[in-house]
Structure formats: C-alpha cells, structure tokens
Amino acid sequence: PSQLPVLNIISSHKLSAKTTRCLETLYPSNNRDTARAVGIRAKGPVAAKAITLVEIIKRRIAEKGDTWWQYNVLSTSEARPKQAVKVATLSGDSNEGEDGGEEADEDPFTPYVEKPKKQPEVPLLTIYISLARIPEFAEKCGEQT
C-alpha cells in the first residue's frame, strides 16, 4: 500500500476536483504509469464524503466498460496535538516588604508550560480502488468488485 498514491479528503475539498484527480491516476495519459490504483483516505467525520467520491469513481469506471476492485482499510490516527499554552503565573507566596523591604531575586512571574493532553484517536478510513486485482490486499482487508 505504501507505493500506491493516496489522496487525503477533507471537508472543504470539492468532489469534482478529487474525482478528476483519481481518474487521472487510474487512467494516466502517458500509459507508462503502472499504478492503476488509487487510495482515498478520510478521517471519521469526513468518511461519508470519501464514500461518495468512491461511488462516483466506480460509476465512471463502469461507464468505460472496465472492472474495478475495492479494498477497505479501517485504522486509527491520533488527532493533531494542540500546541502547549504558556501562561504567566505567580511563583510562590512571597510578599514584598515583610522582611525589611528586600526584593526577591526571582521574577514573580514565570512562564508555565502546560503539557498537551493526550488527544483521542480518530477513526481513519482508506479505500483503495484498483483496475486490477491486488491479491495481498484481498487477503488482508477483503475485496469487493
């Protein structure tokens, strides 16, 4: 799967542009590219858009009189960790002037860095569409045609 091209789908992508891109990958104009398969990857909230895209591609392949094979892979991905937030906080309870007016040597405001919380895992759907059967995919994740 690592050598096959994979398109990531996000909510703002237009289906028509992604359909064209997938079909150009499956039917290259130079006829030298032998990939003849494309992966479509989407995180859980956008999975419906990826499925719609796959259905459009399968319909276009069938219109050309070709046979398609589909392989579905479900996995998880960690959400992007949020950046650490720096917040100025008071360090210590020292009051000025209580012990003869001496100032503390330390800056009373020190940066405090919050550790990013562990982000939940996000479901990830990858659908491979191929114009030729891929036996190793069929064994690992099943096959539709």
Side-chain angles (χ1 to χ4, degrees):
S2 60
Q3 55 267 44
L4 293 178
V6 176
L7 279 75
N8 291 312
I9 306 298
I10 60 174
S11 61
S12 62
H13 285 162
K14 296 188 182 227
L15 285 176
S16 60
K18 291 297 178 177
T19 301
T20 302
R21 180 104 184 260
C22 288
L23 290 172
E24 287 173 352
T25 302
L26 290 170
Y27 296 100
S29 59
N30 62 9
N31 290 330
R32 290 187 293 157
D33 189 7
T34 59
R36 308 289 285 185
V38 65
I40 298 160
R41 179 181 300 140
K43 290 184 179 177
V46 191
K49 191 169 199 166
I51 292 168
T52 300
L53 176 63
V54 168
E55 292 301 318
I56 292 169
I57 293 167
K58 291 190 306 190
R59 188 175 341 128
R60 297 276 172 85
I61 292 171
E63 288 171 0
K64 291 180 183 252
D66 290 335
T67 304
W68 50 264
W69 281 265
Q70 177 178 333
Y71 306 95
N72 303 323
V73 179
L74 293 173
S75 59
T76 56
S77 167
E78 280 190 21
R80 285 187 179 171
K82 294 183 180 177
Q83 294 181 352
V85 178
K86 292 185 179 181
V87 180
T89 59
L90 268 169
S91 65
D93 295 330
S94 63
N95 292 329
E96 289 185 36
E98 284 187 6
D99 37 299
E102 292 181 22
E103 290 186 21
D105 291 336
E106 295 181 18
D107 183 13
F109 293 97
T110 58
Y112 172 73
V113 179
E114 277 187 36
K115 294 181 181 176
K117 295 178 182 175
K118 183 174 180 183
Q119 297 296 316
E121 291 184 345
V122 176
L124 192 64
L125 172 65
T126 306
I127 303 171
Y128 294 96
I129 297 291
S130 176
L131 297 177
R133 188 170 187 274
I134 306 173
E136 54 269 12
F137 277 30
E139 291 174 14
K140 289 182 182 179
C141 49
E143 179 178 72
Q144 295 178 359
T145 187

